[in-house]
Amino acid sequence: MSQQDTSRRDTQGRNKIALVGAGNIGGELASLAARRELGDVVLVDIPDKEGVAKGKALDISQACALDGFDARITGTSDYANIRGADVCIVTAGVPRKPGMSRDDLLTINLKIIRSVAAQIKEHAPEAFVIVISNPLDAMVYEMQKVTGFPKHKVCGMAGALDSARFQHFICDELGVSTKEVQTLVLGGHGDTMVPTLSYCTVGGVPVTQLIPREKLEAIVARTRKGGGEIVGLMGTSAYVAPAAGAIAMAGSYLLDQKRMIACAAFCTGQYGIDGIYIGVPALIGSAGVEKIVEVELSADEKALLAKSEEAVRGLVRDAERL
Ligand code: APR
């Protein structure tokens, strides 16, 4: 078998993780996957960026040699190299520029996601697919539609990131360890997301007992705009935390951890939502999204989730027209 062959048989029984898009998030994903020894990694990008994919693969491989992690990392523009992947994480697309909303990206990224989905369908039909490209909820819907994969084998990474942003702001406000704070953000990955106050706890204590209401509302507002804040500062989208969110999901799948992680999952009536992907708490294990966990919401949270559902449906309708 040639050196270039990255099929599963070539990887001595390790898992194979295909990263479609070798940009900012793709590079972070490769580094995290390798450093956690989740499996061998294939970075795929367009022919113009093949050098970037190969260069990042080498750079990360050399860092792994230094630090003693075993993973075979390769870069390519040939989708045949994702053959047999266990997990595909998709960041292919264009990131937000300052002043651009995630929805502005729809037209450009829709075209890209459709072509990527066709390649995944052909070369990695058994994969668990995690989409990160924005606008997330429409992109993951399209990915499932084009691949025709079972709905529980396709999901989107957003809730993990939005929940982590909320968690960080709470930790910062209280000056407590991140380990003590639990958060849950539901809904679409956009300004209508729903950070739930009823499920935000610090060492098991409801956050509403620790932070005054006004301050909490400011934190919720900052969480909703958390992505935009970073775009404004850096001139491009965040990439470290988004990668960490997707790796948590990939790890839960590959290691059958059954972690409960907020992600864009296909709803079939849960929370009164049917027929779309939207952010909900999901159990991720070796079967994929094994269960959507339904929790009680306050009247306010229910109303906000219904509004978010409408926003996601609007986006999906727009995508279907394009
Ligand atoms: N196949 C593979 N890769 C592609 C394709 C394609 N058809 N089309 C574009 N790409 C690649 C680009 O060449 C680029 O290297 O996707 C990569 C995207 O990387 P960045 O521009 O660095 O963007 P990144 O910050 O990683 O964000 C990617 O995730 O959070 C979302 O909004 C963000 O949609 C964006 C995506």
Side-chain angles (χ1 to χ4, degrees):
M1 211 169 271
S2 82
Q3 269 301 98
Q4 292 308 307
D5 191 333
T6 51
S7 69
R8 217 172 162 203
R9 270 171 299 153
D10 201 32
T11 60
Q12 300 152 351
R14 286 189 207 140
N15 292 317
K16 179 166 170 177
I17 301 155
L19 306 175
V20 184
N24 284 337
I25 303 177
E28 277 293 321
L29 286 168
S31 183
L32 285 174
R35 285 169 180 278
R36 300 216 178 146
E37 296 185 329
L38 287 181
D40 290 338
V41 174
V42 184
L43 274 161
V44 194
D45 212 296
I46 54 175
D48 271 3
K49 294 282 178 71
E50 190 178 50
V52 174
K54 286 185 184 300
K56 285 192 184 185
L58 276 175
D59 190 17
I60 296 163
S61 299
Q62 290 156 11
C64 285
L66 195 76
D67 290 338
F69 296 110
D70 291 314
R72 183 168 187 262
I73 309 158
T74 47
T76 183
S77 64
D78 180 357
Y79 275 91
N81 288 322
I82 73 168
R83 182 153 54 97
D86 300 281
V87 172
C88 290
I89 308 180
V90 180
T91 61
V94 172
R96 269 202 291 175
K97 297 279 178 294
M100 230 176 158
S101 76
R102 288 191 186 88
D103 301 358
D104 293 335
L105 293 179
L106 183 63
T107 316
I108 308 171
N109 284 354
L110 198 59
K111 226 174 127 185
I112 294 173
I113 218 77
R114 284 177 178 150
S115 74
V116 169
Q119 296 286 352
I120 291 177
K121 180 181 181 170
E122 182 179 345
H123 298 289
E126 302 297 327
F128 179 54
V129 183
I130 303 169
V131 179
I132 304 185
S133 311
N134 276 317
L136 191 271
D137 305 279
M139 293 297 127
V140 63
Y141 184 91
E142 200 65 22
M143 173 62 69
Q144 192 283 325
K145 200 170 114 187
V146 176
T147 56
F149 287 3
K151 294 186 171 86
H152 63 280
K153 293 290 289 290
V154 179
C155 62
M157 192 297 301
L161 170 64
D162 298 327
S163 301
R165 286 181 171 147
F166 191 24
Q167 182 189 8
H168 165 69
F169 295 141
I170 299 285
C171 292
D172 216 27
E173 175 63 26
L174 290 172
V176 298
S177 161
T178 50
K179 293 184 185 71
E180 301 302 328
V181 179
Q182 288 241 306
T183 51
L184 175 61
V185 177
L186 306 177
H189 184 49
D191 300 343
T192 62
M193 72 179 73
V194 187
T196 57
L197 289 184
S198 38
Y199 294 105
C200 178
T201 55
V202 183
V205 177
V207 75
T208 45
Q209 293 184 25
L210 303 171
I211 300 178
R213 176 63 62 164
E214 240 172 57
K215 190 83 216 173
L216 268 176
E217 277 167 12
I219 290 174
V220 164
R222 190 175 177 196
T223 301
R224 287 209 180 95
K225 304 262 178 212
E229 180 178 359
I230 292 179
V231 173
L233 290 165
M234 302 201 305
T236 191
S237 298
Y239 52 91
V240 178
I247 289 296
M249 292 165 69
S252 193
Y253 173 74
L254 290 169
L255 306 174
D256 194 27
Q257 288 171 331
K258 303 199 193 297
R259 290 186 63 185
M260 186 170 124
I261 300 177
C263 68
F266 191 82
C267 288
T268 53
Q270 298 88 347
Y271 295 96
I273 301 171
D274 190 21
I276 55 168
Y277 278 91
I278 192 164
V280 284
L283 275 193
I284 300 179
S286 58
V289 172
E290 296 184 350
K291 187 179 179 191
I292 291 174
V293 181
E294 280 195 273
V295 297
E296 251 178 58
L297 298 178
S298 68
D300 278 0
E301 287 162 350
K302 276 185 194 157
L304 289 169
L305 187 58
K307 217 173 131 202
S308 190
E309 177 190 355
E310 265 327 293
V312 172
R313 285 194 187 281
L315 208 56
V316 171
R317 272 196 300 273
D318 288 348
E320 282 184 332
R321 268 199 297 271
L322 290 168

